[in-house]
Amino acid sequence: MTTKLAVFASGSGSNFQALQEAIERGELHATIELVITDKPGAFVVTRANNFGIPVVELAPKAFENKVAYEQKVIELLEAHDVDWVILAGYMRLVGETLLTAYENRIINIHPSLLPSFPGKDAIGQAMDHGVKVTGVTVHYVDAGMDTGKIIAQGAVDVVPGDREQTEARVHKLEHALYTNTLQQLFKQTFA
Ligand code: GRF
């Protein structure tokens, strides 16, 4: 049985692309059925189109409230028979409506060693604090900001004073760690 995923992203979508490429290499036994972005026009839309994966651009502002927005999201997930929701640079807190519908089936990746540096610009926060080692965390999503149960972590040496290189290291690790962690998780769940 193949695990069916929806990827949620708000920006570039490099993690989405890394997952899709891992699927195509046979390293992740899943299919990305749908990409949802809350930022119409985000670069992830171009990436999804390049792979021929359905993408829905859904501006939350177009809905009466968060519940209505998430109900629409659930409708799309159900129409595509989605098993797991994979957040990859989705810059929005998930509300109770979606959390309840996909309980323990929503995963996020965050570019720090949580619980250090949750929220926006985690790499910048880490560098401002002068930490020598930062990293990547894959975790279950709950109602808080990057507070859900931790599934996997990996460490990255900060390149002092060089944000670009540090970021490149973090993203490289993200792409590998997300693939490996999800593959393990799906194997366990359906074993
Ligand atoms: C990644 O660093 C991810 O950990 C964070 O947002 C960034 C998204 O990058 N949540 P991309 O859109 O996947 O390139």
Side-chain angles (χ1 to χ4, degrees), residues 5-23:
L5 313 180
V7 174
F8 288 19
S10 306
S12 157
S14 74
N15 278 283
F16 152 71
Q17 178 156 342
L19 292 175
Q20 178 58 24
E21 286 173 353
I23 289 169

Side-chain angles (χ1 to χ4, degrees), residues 113-139:
L113 291 172
L114 291 171
S116 292
F117 312 127
K120 282 192 183 148
D121 191 21
I123 299 171
Q125 291 184 54
M127 293 193 76
D128 288 349
H129 275 77
V131 300
K132 306 301 175 205
V133 176
T134 186
V136 173
T137 303
V138 178
H139 64 94

Side-chain angles (χ1 to χ4, degrees), residues 52-53 72 95 105 112 132 147 187:
I53 295 175
K72 177 67 191 174
R105 295 293 173 123
S112 77
K132 306 301 175 205
T147 50
K187 230 167 58 186

